């Protein structure tokens, strides 16, 4: 007999396994605890004020201290006013009663302590002759005043000025519009402080 055939090759090795899957993410951290509710805190503050300083009308009231400011030497040509809103009882200045007056409307009521109002400022002596300011103003805002507003003529203010305060645009003739909420007259020459 002839030679024997060569042995058959052994089985092929098994295939190599595929790449391992990525590791699973770690567990999520536990949720943070809810914030503890804030405790309510009420504080009452009481103050007492006394003064040796000069006050309006000699009242001794700390809100009526006369500021140490020299009056102006000549009438102003430009001023700015802070509009605080509110009724006439909230008015505060150091002008004497014959130089300052304030009237709240008996029918419409006074302006509120917030919101927007239309302010119209004119010379008291000739309210239709000039305009010192006319426009909407938010409570808490400062508004400009000058003769010849808005261009500002450089002329001086008349001795007394009138402020009309309306809840909305008063139209073309604010001076003769009876629907004002407040009417203020104050002295704008330098014989008195301007505030």
């Amino acid at each position: 007999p002839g030679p024997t055939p060569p042995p058959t090759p052994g089985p092929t090795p098994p295939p190599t396994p595929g790449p391992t899957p990525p590791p699973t993410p770690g567990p999520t951290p536990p949720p943070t605890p809810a914030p503890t509710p804030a405790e309510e805190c009420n504080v009452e503050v009481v103050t007492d004020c006394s003064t040796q300083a000069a006050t309006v009308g000699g009242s001794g009231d700390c809100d009526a201290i006369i500021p140490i400011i020299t009056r102006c030497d000549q009438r102003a040509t430009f001023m700015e006013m802070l509009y605080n809103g509110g009724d006439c009882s909230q008015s505060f200045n150091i002008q004497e009663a014959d130089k300052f007056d304030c009237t709240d409307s008996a029918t419409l009521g006074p302006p509120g302590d917030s919101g927007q109002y239309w302010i119209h400022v004119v010379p008291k002596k000739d309210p239709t002759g000039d305009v010192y300011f006319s426009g909407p103003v938010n409570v808490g805002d400062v508004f400009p005043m000058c003769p010849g507003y808005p261009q500002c003529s450089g002329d001086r203010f008349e001795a007394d000025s009138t402020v009309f305060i309306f809840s909305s645009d008063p139209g073309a003739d604010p001076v003769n519009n009876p629907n004002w909420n407040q009417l203020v007259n104050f002295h704008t020459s330098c014989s008195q402080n301007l505030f």
Side-chain angles (χ1 to χ4, degrees):
T4 59
T8 57
T12 57
T16 57
T20 57
T24 58
T28 58
T32 57
T36 56
E39 292 184 29
E40 185 175 320
C41 177
N42 294 318
V43 176
E44 183 177 330
V45 177
V46 178
T47 60
D48 186 25
C49 174
S50 62
T51 180
Q52 303 275 325
T55 55
V56 174
S59 68
D61 184 355
C62 289
D63 287 333
I65 294 173
I66 297 172
I68 304 171
I69 297 175
T70 304
R71 287 196 307 253
C72 51
D73 294 326
Q74 57 185 353
R75 289 185 191 175
T77 58
F78 180 86
M79 288 190 260
E80 290 183 323
M81 299 284 263
L82 171 65
Y83 179 54
N84 289 321
D87 64 35
C88 288
S89 71
Q90 296 171 293
S91 298
F92 178 74
N93 64 66
I94 62 173
Q95 292 190 356
E96 298 298 328
D98 65 333
K99 302 294 181 189
F100 174 87
D101 66 76
C102 179
T103 305
D104 291 323
S105 171
T107 55
L108 298 174
D113 293 327
S114 63
Q116 187 178 76
Y117 291 86
W118 191 281
I119 297 180
H120 186 75
V121 186
V122 294
K124 183 178 179 182
K125 180 173 75 173
D126 184 12
T128 58
D130 198 356
V131 173
Y132 296 159
F133 176 80
S134 193
V137 179
N138 291 316
V139 172
D141 283 354
V142 172
F143 65 93
M145 297 188 319
C146 62
Y149 179 84
Q151 288 80 20
C152 296
S153 65
D155 292 338
R156 295 183 178 140
F157 283 85
E158 289 293 331
D160 298 293
S161 296
T162 300
V163 180
F164 296 86
I165 301 173
F166 300 90
S167 59
S168 60
D169 185 339
D173 190 10
V175 172
N176 293 308
N177 183 333
N179 297 316
W180 46 265
N181 295 84
Q182 193 170 76
L183 183 66
V184 177
N185 292 299
F186 72 106
H187 198 62
T188 45
S189 86
C190 287
S191 67
Q192 297 284 318
N193 278 307
L194 298 176
F195 50 91

